[in-house]
Amino acid sequence: QWLYCTQKTTKVCYQENTLAMYTWGKKYLEFYHCDICGCLTHYETIDKSDMGRLAVNARMMPPADVIGAEIKIFDGADTLQYLAE
């Protein structure tokens, strides 16, 4: 599960020097992973004019933070639209 938002509305908190970043291909996204366990924590767009999109790996969040969260199905591959609510 992923939490899709913008860099203006969401802040990713982590301890200093615990994340590593990489990018590949067209270098459109920056991927961040934990230097300790290797899990992907989040990714964000490099071009901040593209609404500064941010995707957070909700599996890395404390359960209390996601219980009761509103779930929407989002087509991030083709239409960039919500498919159902």
Side-chain angles (χ1 to χ4, degrees):
Q1 286 79 17
W2 290 90
L3 168 66
Y4 296 100
C5 44
T6 68
Q7 294 168 22
K8 290 182 180 180
T9 62
T10 305
K11 180 180 179 180
V12 177
C13 300
Y14 53 91
Q15 291 180 354
E16 190 174 343
N17 299 320
T18 59
L19 289 184
M21 186 276 294
Y22 66 95
T23 187
W24 54 277
K26 295 182 180 181
K27 302 194 183 326
Y28 177 69
L29 298 172
E30 292 178 337
F31 296 87
Y32 292 84
H33 67 274
C34 175
D35 250 355
I36 298 166
C37 71
C39 290
L40 180 66
T41 58
H42 67 287
Y43 63 87
E44 57 189 55
T45 55
I46 293 172
D47 181 3
K48 306 308 182 214
S49 67
D50 185 27
M51 297 191 314
R53 292 188 184 151
L54 174 68
V56 179
N57 184 349
R59 292 179 203 109
M60 303 293 291
M61 301 170 94
D65 290 350
V66 294
I67 289 176
E70 180 181 355
I71 297 174
K72 295 181 180 182
I73 299 172
F74 181 73
D75 179 9
D78 294 316
T79 65
L80 299 177
Q81 300 291 320
Y82 290 102
L83 304 176
E85 295 189 31

